[in-house]
């Protein structure tokens, strides 16, 4: 009978231990559920701590009116080496007419090449200059460029400067575009 009482006491101790663990887990689960239910409201009422910081902006398409920065030097990428010899390229017919140049007939050891402009030269216009950047437009779209950027005519932007109160951009080919 003593064994039976010892087993019964051990069983009661085990049940109390299990009941205490169950109560703890129940309390922890309820606390977690309460915190989960409360957290979205905390975030809602404290949006400045959790929200996305959005900078104020206007809906205009103008460039920001920041003070202009002086241009003191030209980017090395925008400079053209004037001492570089031009690569000799065979003559190109701008129209597909299957004509042949007369240059092939008069060969005296040196291939004579005629100057032929690149067909369909792209032109663009200067719209606005601000903060060391220029807004240009060509038939394919509008672009914001800065010194060293490749322009639609495949030159590079060499300088941005004001002449007679109007903005002017000068390309690496030496062409000058004025603001309209």
């Amino acid at each position: 009978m003593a064994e039976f009482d010892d087993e019964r006491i051990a069983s009661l101790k085990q049940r109390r231990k299990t009941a205490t663990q169950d109560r703890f887990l129940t309390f922890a689960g309820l606390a977690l559920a309460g915190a989960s239910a409360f957290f979205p409201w905390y975030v809602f009422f404290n949006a400045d701590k959790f929200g996305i910081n959005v900078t104020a902006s206007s809906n205009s398409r103008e460039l920001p009116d920041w003070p202009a920065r002086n241009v003191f030097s030209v980017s090395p990428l925008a400079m053209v080496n004037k001492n570089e010899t031009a690569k000799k390229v065979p003559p190109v017919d701008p129209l597909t007419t299957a004509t042949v140049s007369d240059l092939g007939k008069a060969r005296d050891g040196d291939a004579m090449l005629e100057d032929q402009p690149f067909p369909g030269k792209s032109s663009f216009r200067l719209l606005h200059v601000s903060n060391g950047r220029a807004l240009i437009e060509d038939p394919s779209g509008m672009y914001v460029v800065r010194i060293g950027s490749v322009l639609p005519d495949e030159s590079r932007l060499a300088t941005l400067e004001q002449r007679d109160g109007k903005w002017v951009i000068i390309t690496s080919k030496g062409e000058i575009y004025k603001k309209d």
Side-chain angles (χ1 to χ4, degrees), residues 22-36:
D22 286 346
R23 283 187 193 109
F24 175 76
L25 288 176
T26 302
F27 176 74
L30 289 173
L32 185 60
S36 298

Side-chain angles (χ1 to χ4, degrees), residues 104-130:
K105 295 180 182 175
R107 289 192 186 177
D108 56 352
D110 226 2
M112 296 173 23
L113 298 175
E114 59 189 34
D115 290 332
Q116 183 171 357
F118 185 74
K121 180 181 175 189
S122 172
S123 65
F124 59 92
R125 63 188 189 124
L126 176 61
L127 298 176
H128 186 75
V129 175
S130 177

Side-chain angles (χ1 to χ4, degrees), residues 128-139:
H128 186 75
V129 175
S130 177
N131 199 22
R133 298 174 298 174
L135 180 65
I136 60 172
E137 179 183 38
D138 73 346

Side-chain angles (χ1 to χ4, degrees), residues 6 13 23 28 43 48 80-81 121 131 141 143 155 164 170 179:
D6 289 338
K13 285 183 180 179
R23 283 187 193 109
V43 170
D48 55 330
V80 175
N81 186 359
K121 180 181 175 189
N131 199 22
Y143 308 96
S155 65
D164 300 326
I170 302 173
K179 183 178 177 194

